[in-house]
Structures are given as structure tokens and as C-alpha cells.
Amino acid sequence: MAALANRDARTAYAQIVLGAGVLSDAKEQRRHGAITILLEAGLVEKAGSNAYQASETIFRSLLSQQPKRQPKTGVDRFLRLGRIDRYPASAADRRELLAWIVDQAIQPGEDLTERQVNERLLSYTDDVVLLRRYLVDFGLLERTASGSSYSRPE
């Protein structure tokens, strides 16, 4: 990647990949410098006296060196950047996700207005109405009969 940060090297690499004349309008010193950078990085290989070709293996090699991503577990399976990416199909998984959100967003013993609940749930989704309804339906959030306040069940 550092090799491609150099403008001449990046241009030369593009020209080699496309089969165009490598920096044909540049001075020999700039051309030589760009090709040297690309050769040292392993991005290109000599293909003759003054010919170069893009390496067939460099990107595969770099990708194989990357650490493997660990599969997501628990509620992380349903979150992206801390927000709900999708609701689980399984009721048990959905309950687990909702319980986690309630634990994060609302303290036991707190009485909150609908507006306060919505503000806190906005951290997890843009559809706060649906999320709030799920929390009430799953018994993780109680609403007073008048609908004026919400709290966690005791």
C-alpha cells in the first residue's frame, strides 16, 4: 500500500496493468524510480528487458496474511456498529437482544417519558417505535395505563 501512495508509482502501476507505456511522458529518472518502488513492493515483475507485468500473486499473498475474522456470537450477531442490523427470527434470540438493549439503555427503577425512552432507543435503531413495542410486548419494559411513563419491571 505504501508503494501506491507514491503518485508516480501508482500511475506506473496502472499503466502496467492496462498495458500502456509506463510513464512515457516522464523523465527517465522518475520512470526508473517508480518502477523500482513497484518491483521492491512485489507489485510488478520483469517480463523482458524493458517490459513489466503486474504480479499475479501479490494480492492473494497479502490477503492470506490477514487475520481471520472470528464469527460473531451472542447479540453481536444482530448488531452492526452497536446498532440493530436485523431482528432475530428466533423468539429466544430476539428476547436476548431486547434484554441486552434494556440493560444498556434503562436503569432499574427509572421512570421515563416516552420521549426519553425514544431518545435512548435511538442509539440502537432509527425505528424506535418498533423497538419500544417489542420491549413492551416481551415484558422487558412496562408502560403505565395512561402511557405517560415507562419503566423496567421489578
Side-chain angles (χ1 to χ4, degrees), residues 74-133:
V75 298
D76 287 338
R77 296 174 293 164
F78 311 110
L79 300 173
R80 182 177 177 154
L81 301 174
R83 293 175 53 87
I84 298 170
D85 183 45
R86 64 184 173 88
Y87 285 99
S90 152
D93 286 342
R94 187 172 296 185
R95 181 174 190 68
E96 180 184 6
L97 173 64
L98 296 172
W100 179 82
I101 290 171
V102 165
D103 285 343
Q104 298 292 310
I106 302 170
Q107 298 300 312
E110 270 187 305
D111 283 325
L112 303 169
T113 65
E114 184 174 298
R115 182 182 189 137
Q116 290 171 316
V117 171
N118 289 348
E119 287 172 358
R120 292 188 188 187
L121 297 182
L122 195 55
S123 299
Y124 302 96
T125 183
D126 290 332
D127 192 349
V128 294
V129 174
L130 178 64
L131 178 54
R132 191 180 67 236
R133 186 178 308 128

Side-chain angles (χ1 to χ4, degrees), residues 8-154:
D8 286 341
R10 189 172 54 249
T11 302
Y13 183 70
Q15 291 171 337
I16 290 168
V17 169
L18 296 173
V22 179
L23 296 175
S24 55
D25 60 338
K27 291 184 180 177
E28 182 60 28
Q29 184 178 3
R30 281 182 53 206
R31 182 180 183 281
H32 178 72
I35 291 173
T36 300
I37 290 170
L38 296 173
L39 286 167
E40 288 175 359
L43 288 168
V44 298
E45 304 163 343
K46 269 197 159 287
S49 61
N50 273 340
Y52 301 92
Q53 67 184 18
S55 170
E56 296 286 329
T57 60
I58 186 70
F59 294 108
R60 197 171 318 127
S61 173
L62 289 171
L63 287 172
S64 71
Q65 295 172 23
Q66 294 298 311
K68 302 289 184 213
R69 287 189 191 170
Q70 296 298 318
K72 291 183 177 182
T73 60
V75 298
D76 287 338
R77 296 174 293 164
F78 311 110
L79 300 173
R80 182 177 177 154
L81 301 174
R83 293 175 53 87
I84 298 170
D85 183 45
R86 64 184 173 88
Y87 285 99
S90 152
D93 286 342
R94 187 172 296 185
R95 181 174 190 68
E96 180 184 6
L97 173 64
L98 296 172
W100 179 82
I101 290 171
V102 165
D103 285 343
Q104 298 292 310
I106 302 170
Q107 298 300 312
E110 270 187 305
D111 283 325
L112 303 169
T113 65
E114 184 174 298
R115 182 182 189 137
Q116 290 171 316
V117 171
N118 289 348
E119 287 172 358
R120 292 188 188 187
L121 297 182
L122 195 55
S123 299
Y124 302 96
T125 183
D126 290 332
D127 192 349
V128 294
V129 174
L130 178 64
L131 178 54
R132 191 180 67 236
R133 186 178 308 128
Y134 278 152
L135 294 172
V136 171
D137 290 349
F138 275 80
L140 299 167
L141 194 61
E142 291 179 339
R143 183 175 61 188
T144 58
S146 67
S148 62
S149 70
Y150 292 79
S151 62
R152 289 175 60 170
E154 295 186 25

